[in-house]
Amino acid sequence: MKYRYILLSLLFICFSCTKEVLFEEDDDSQTVNIESDYRNFYGITWVGNNDDNLAYAKQMGYDYIFYHWGMADHKLADSLKFYFETPQYDCYDREINRANSFTGEEKEYLSRFAALKDASLPFPENLARGWFFEPSYFSVEPDLQQQRVIDFLVDSILNRAASLERKDKGFEFGGYAWDVPQLYGDFWDTIQVSGGNQVTLAHWTGHDSGDKHPDVTHEYQTYSEGHAAFYRTLWKKTKERFPDARFIIEPWHPYDDWLRYIENRPDADELIPDLIVQEKDGIDFATDENILKSRLVDNSMLGCTSPNVFTEEGNRKIAGIAASRGSTFGWYGRFGGTGDMPEYTDIRQVPPRLKLIRVISIWENLHKTPLEKRNWDGETYSSPKACISKDVIYAIQPRTNKLFVVFLNSSGAVEIPELYSSADIYQTNDLFIETSITTTSIQINGNTMTLLDPSQTGKGFIIKQSQGN
């Protein structure tokens, strides 16, 4: 994943034995025509703005981005592929505010369309409650036990995907991603911030099924079966229309919240996405033996996008193990606001060390760095292209061969390859974009780069190969 922080003392030891490997000048390091990777996505969509998100995605070399309203016609959207996040939510008005008034037609439509907890109760108390936005303001979940609802959602999603493509500038549909994808649905007994709990429909009905409006038909006996049918139908029809589309899910825990529910199903192969990323903090995605024992995924199909980890050590351990196994560590939906991660609302607020460490694993995958050259000892990660230690993070960006660096303390040092020994050193702005050449922040002595100005600790730098080298 991210550029490894290295103690000066560790560096002399580490680089003395890895100097030839760490930045070896081979054909791969000079290749700029690197094919895109569906795992190379910038997943922020619930916060921020299109100007910053698109500019940052382009600077960091992302191939895919999560779609946000208005993005299709943005001047910076060219040559990117886009994912829809939880695409069904854009097909109907899912927000119910008890303080609002509803027409008879609106009440009848939602009572026939949405999952119900008790059809006999007056609207909107008959609706099974999804995510709460405020105490009286909650999400309506579709009744996926009805085939007509599934068909409506699938057709609507596909039509929306086609309508937002801008093939003339290379802005093309890339696939879908789901937060909280579990088959039994995302239902809540009350508002989360006041101690609410995620529940299943059984909380209200006694079994895995919603109550039924008297005028509709349930083709699927359980909500889980209907939800599985929705995924199967959508994925099949999407592949027919968009053959290169990919599917991503972000369960809290890859095994506990997804794989264990599908591994013994006859349609298990139809319910395996291209990538499963863990929302839970920690390294369970790499250490839970049940995940690989399911025989449904391998390490390249796993990763972490937890918004709950701020500390240097916590991020280093996730990034190091992910990069060493060919997995991923990135962003999904938001930057934080839970765990010990501050509630950043724009990429500009995110510290450079977090910006960098969340791309290292995918850069390693784009470089196709052999796994046997990706070394993680539990504290420090090193490879021919990158390093993550407690003192410095750095890595070579695919396609541009720019060297991205963040010094975490004044004793960090980077041994650089010969092509960078007379390079231009750039300071960067809040989007990690080069601003101006600096000659006072960093010095290069032979092949070793160190920080001159302690006030620049934690700042981002980019090293470009000098023209003519």
Side-chain angles (χ1 to χ4, degrees), residues 64-276:
Y64 291 73
I65 193 165
F66 278 23
Y67 188 82
H68 187 270
W69 186 86
M71 189 175 283
D73 296 309
H74 197 283
K75 62 183 179 182
L76 293 178
D78 60 293
S79 303
L80 287 170
K81 295 182 180 180
F82 61 93
Y83 287 115
F84 284 149
E85 199 285 320
T86 314
Q88 63 268 32
Y89 284 161
D90 291 308
C91 300
Y92 66 98
D93 187 0
R94 75 181 183 109
E95 301 173 359
I96 289 290
N97 190 335
R98 290 190 181 97
N100 294 341
S101 59
F102 297 86
T103 67
E105 184 178 359
E106 289 172 331
K107 294 177 182 179
E108 185 65 15
Y109 173 78
L110 285 172
S111 296
R112 291 168 179 259
F113 176 84
L116 303 181
K117 64 177 183 180
D118 188 340
S120 69
L121 294 176
F123 183 92
E125 299 309 315
N126 60 335
L127 304 175
R129 298 183 296 261
W131 180 262
F132 275 80
F133 305 102
E134 295 176 6
S136 63
Y137 186 24
F138 62 89
S139 172
V140 172
E141 298 300 305
D143 183 3
L144 297 177
Q145 293 178 249
Q146 298 182 56
Q147 186 63 49
R148 71 174 187 90
V149 171
I150 292 175
D151 293 340
F152 165 78
L153 292 174
V154 169
D155 290 343
S156 299
I157 292 167
L158 290 172
N159 289 337
R160 183 168 181 261
S163 73
L164 291 173
E165 283 198 315
R166 301 292 185 266
K167 289 186 177 294
D168 59 321
K169 64 177 185 178
F171 188 68
E172 299 181 348
F173 176 66
Y176 312 112
W178 283 272
D179 177 39
V180 195
Q182 56 259 23
L183 295 182
Y184 51 79
D186 186 19
F187 298 99
W188 289 79
D189 61 351
T190 187
I191 185 169
Q192 292 85 354
V193 296
S194 63
N197 296 297
Q198 189 178 54
V199 297
T200 68
L201 285 167
H203 175 75
W204 296 295
T205 67
H207 52 281
D208 180 21
S209 176
D211 201 6
K212 189 176 74 67
H213 187 284
D215 295 333
V216 307
T217 301
H218 275 177
E219 284 80 10
Y220 301 96
Q221 290 189 341
T222 67
Y223 194 86
S224 293
E225 285 303 320
H227 205 167
F230 165 70
Y231 284 133
R232 290 197 309 267
T233 304
L234 178 61
W235 296 4
K236 179 177 183 295
K237 290 193 174 183
T238 298
K239 281 293 192 179
E240 291 171 356
R241 193 163 178 179
F242 302 97
D244 296 327
R246 300 288 188 160
F247 312 114
I248 300 169
I249 61 172
E250 190 202 40
W252 178 252
H253 187 285
Y255 185 79
D256 292 348
D257 297 305
W258 186 259
L259 292 172
R260 76 183 178 100
Y261 288 97
I262 70 166
E263 61 182 340
N264 294 318
R265 292 176 58 98
D267 60 352
D269 290 342
E270 299 178 73
L271 295 174
I272 287 297
D274 296 286
L275 181 66
I276 303 177

Side-chain angles (χ1 to χ4, degrees), residues 29 40 73 111 154 196 216 236 241 247 257 285 300 309 333 379 382 433 437 448 458:
S29 67
N40 184 24
D73 296 309
S111 296
V154 169
V216 307
K236 179 177 183 295
R241 193 163 178 179
F247 312 114
D257 297 305
F285 70 95
S300 71
V309 185
E379 294 295 331
S382 62
I433 295 173
I437 293 177
T448 300

Side-chain angles (χ1 to χ4, degrees), residues 92 277 293-294 443:
Y92 66 98
V277 290
K293 282 182 179 178
S294 72
Q443 76 170 358

